[in-house]
Structures are given as structure tokens and as C-alpha cells.
Amino acid sequence: MDARGLTMLAATSGLVAGAVWLSETLDRKPEVTESTAAAIRAELSFFVEFIEDPVEREALSDKPVPLCIGSSAPLDFDLLEDRLARSFLRPVPIIGCRRRTVEGDFGMFGAMTYWFDETGEEAGQLRIKAVNCPTVRRCIVDIDSVGAGMRYEVERTGDNWTVTGQETRWIV
């Protein structure tokens, strides 16, 4: 093979690699949001009941609880709200929230921070520290809350995302 043939082979390989990378990058946003929703459901399952029955859910849906969410990954908040609808959580980008820190003696904490949504209603708060999706069917989601940081392994089967593993990253 001559130099021209090698150049063409290298250029074609570069174009194919770039197209694959671009395709994977463009496809990541839905996976990031979907997997994050599954991880949030797992993170808050102790506190929040996810109601499957549509009639019962409709009767209780008039008062969603705001949840201020900060994220290092780009999240589609409309999609996130749809995926958390069964939980009565209303995700709010943290940029739309405000906080108030109270200094004092709270046991292990020297101060407590209270979060409020855009209307001034008290809200919960989570930080999505990282979302890494090595494939289109598997993501690792790191969530930090008040006293702990958790890592969730989330996998997609069909259209459903479920947590298949979790571990504590840090704890106070």
C-alpha cells in the first residue's frame, strides 16, 4: 500500500471514529436523565412512596414536593419530572432554588442548610455528583445528600431503568 492509500485509510478511520464518538455523545442525554431518575427513586425510596395505581396517584397529586437538584451532568428536567411523577416529587434545577444556612449545634453538623423552591416553599435537596454511562444500557450515578454519598449502578431493560447495585461512597 502506498502513502496515498495509507492516508485515505487513516482519514476514513478518523471519520468513522469521530462519527461513533459524536453518536454516543448525542445519545447520552436521555440515558443520563433516565438513569438519574432511577437513582433518585432508589435514594429516596425510604422516604417517598411510589404509587403505581393511577386513580390513587391522581387523588394525591395536587401537592408535589419540590426537590432542588444540582447536577454536574446535563439533565432534562421535563423528562426527569415525568419519570418522578409517581413519587410526588417535583424536581427543580438548583439554580431556581435558594437556601438559608442556620449556624448552631446540630450534633455532627455545625450548621443546617434549608432549601426553598422558586415560590419559597421548603424543598429537599440532592446533588448529582456524576453520571457515567459506559454503554447505552448501563450508567453509574453518584448522588450526594446531607449525610452521605451513594453510588448507584443503573441498567436499562427495554424502556425501564432499574437500580441493580449500590454502594456508599462516603458517610458523615
Side-chain angles (χ1 to χ4, degrees), residues 19-94:
V20 168
W21 173 83
L22 182 59
S23 173
E24 287 180 5
T25 301
L26 293 176
D27 287 343
R28 288 290 184 244
K29 191 171 184 180
E31 279 89 15
V32 166
T33 302
E34 297 273 4
S35 62
T36 298
I40 289 171
R41 286 193 308 266
E43 175 80 11
L44 299 176
S45 64
F46 183 76
F47 305 104
V48 178
E49 183 177 351
F50 291 83
I51 298 178
E52 299 294 336
D53 180 33
V55 175
E56 187 179 349
R57 186 168 60 240
E58 183 65 30
L60 298 172
S61 65
D62 62 338
K63 188 71 170 142
V65 176
L67 178 64
C68 297
I69 299 176
S71 179
S72 60
L75 295 177
D76 178 341
F77 275 83
D78 291 332
L79 180 59
L80 189 61
E81 185 170 5
D82 180 65
R83 297 306 184 255
L84 296 175
R86 293 177 312 153
S87 68
F88 308 110
L89 293 172
R90 183 177 58 86
V92 179
I94 205 161

Side-chain angles (χ1 to χ4, degrees), residues 119-133:
T119 67
E121 182 179 349
E122 192 166 358
Q125 186 269 339
L126 292 176
R127 172 142 323 262
I128 310 306
K129 203 64 174 159
V131 181
N132 179 19
C133 299

Side-chain angles (χ1 to χ4, degrees), residues 60-168:
L60 298 172
S61 65
D62 62 338
K63 188 71 170 142
V65 176
L67 178 64
C68 297
I69 299 176
S71 179
S72 60
L75 295 177
D76 178 341
F77 275 83
D78 291 332
L79 180 59
L80 189 61
E81 185 170 5
D82 180 65
R83 297 306 184 255
L84 296 175
R86 293 177 312 153
S87 68
F88 308 110
L89 293 172
R90 183 177 58 86
V92 179
I94 205 161
I95 194 83
C97 297
R98 64 180 183 81
R99 66 183 180 183
R100 180 173 51 98
T101 301
V102 178
E103 300 290 332
D105 183 10
F106 300 101
M108 288 188 288
F109 302 104
M112 292 294 290
T113 301
Y114 298 93
W115 289 86
F116 304 90
D117 71 359
E118 65 279 0
T119 67
E121 182 179 349
E122 192 166 358
Q125 186 269 339
L126 292 176
R127 172 142 323 262
I128 310 306
K129 203 64 174 159
V131 181
N132 179 19
C133 299
T135 70
V136 295
R137 296 197 175 282
R138 181 176 170 267
C139 295
I140 306 298
V141 182
D142 291 346
I143 297 179
D144 288 351
S145 61
V146 174
M150 295 293 294
R151 173 166 291 150
Y152 295 93
E153 183 175 346
V154 187
E155 293 185 10
R156 182 177 75 182
T157 306
D159 289 335
N160 297 320
W161 286 85
T162 55
V163 172
T164 57
Q166 67 184 49
E167 68 180 61
T168 303

